Amino acid sequence: MSRGSGKGLSLKDKLDGNELDLSLCDLNEVPVRELAALPKATVLDLSCNNLISLPSDFCSLMHLVKLDLSKNRLQQLPLDFGRLVNLQHLDLLNNRLVTLPVSFAQLKNLKWLDLKDNPLDPVLAKVAGDCLDEKQCKQAAVKVLQHMKAIQSEQDRQRQRKLQAEREMEKKREAEQRAKEAQERELRKREKAEEKERRRREYDAQKAAKQEMEKKTKKETVHTRKPASSSRPPQPPRHKPSWSRSVLRVLLFVLFCVLCTLAACKLTELQHQPLCISVNTLYEDVVAALQNHKTLQNMLQHNSQQ
């Protein structure tokens, strides 16, 4: 492979004790796999190459103690750059870095740092200061670590606040859900009680109607079974018809017929008929007899008075 890829290089030939110098090798990428096979190489020089970024697996080279990445074109460092916890010396001179990853705060062993000639964020540039001598570079390492730790703490606090807010929101949702469920249970309970009360009223009404019907039926039955004398005023005793009454009725009927016949013979044109003549004659004889009988009674009454 070409020189620019980093492969084809004999890293072992460049290893001098614990120092591995890959500077000025025109590298476009870092041969991480080959470097991982050389854990003795705790000092790595990758300066003066064409590196734009570092691969994420670069942070697995945790054996590194001193790292020189100056004079490349790095625009950012891997987010987990803080995994290089054994790193003590870091040179990032003359790159294109604006910020550092928050995990940078985990480089607790870092003692020397150079960030000159990078388009750093103004706040970070002010914190880092110059690195013109050993003292300034050591101060830069301390101040930048403190700054990144403060950023990390603030982010942690923000995450905690966010997490707390999410928990509070979740608790609020749970409380609202419980309140809603309790309200629904109360509503169902109230509806159930109202339904029970409605059924009870219907049952009482039906029972009362049934009792009233039974009472009415019983009353009608009692009235039906009572003797006639208890429900009607006493009637005079009825006498069975006798033979004398029958004879009297017959005589009255005959008398009525006689009177009708007599009236017809006296008042109508039938008086010249033979039957009516006989009737009239008989009537006159009876009247005369009655008159004579009345005259006799008067005479007797007169004699008795004298």
Side-chain angles (χ1 to χ4, degrees), residues 273-288:
Q273 296 296 326
L275 179 60
C276 286
I277 293 174
S278 299
V279 170
N280 291 332
T281 302
L282 181 59
Y283 171 72
E284 293 175 355
D285 291 340
V286 171
V287 170

Side-chain angles (χ1 to χ4, degrees), residues 196-248:
K196 185 176 180 180
E197 179 64 19
R198 184 185 64 80
R199 291 200 305 267
R200 188 186 65 79
R201 288 197 299 268
E202 290 179 354
Y203 173 79
D204 292 343
Q206 292 175 358
K207 186 176 180 180
K210 185 178 179 181
Q211 291 177 349
E212 184 67 22
M213 183 63 68
E214 290 177 351
K215 185 177 179 181
K216 184 177 180 181
T217 304
K218 185 176 180 180
K219 186 175 181 181
E220 291 177 353
T221 303
V222 171
H223 282 299
T224 303
R225 291 182 179 179
K226 283 184 178 180
S229 59
S230 62
S231 60
R232 294 193 300 268
Q235 299 292 334
R238 295 182 180 181
H239 300 284
K240 294 183 179 181
S242 61
W243 285 103
S244 59
R245 294 184 64 183
S246 300
V247 173
L248 181 59

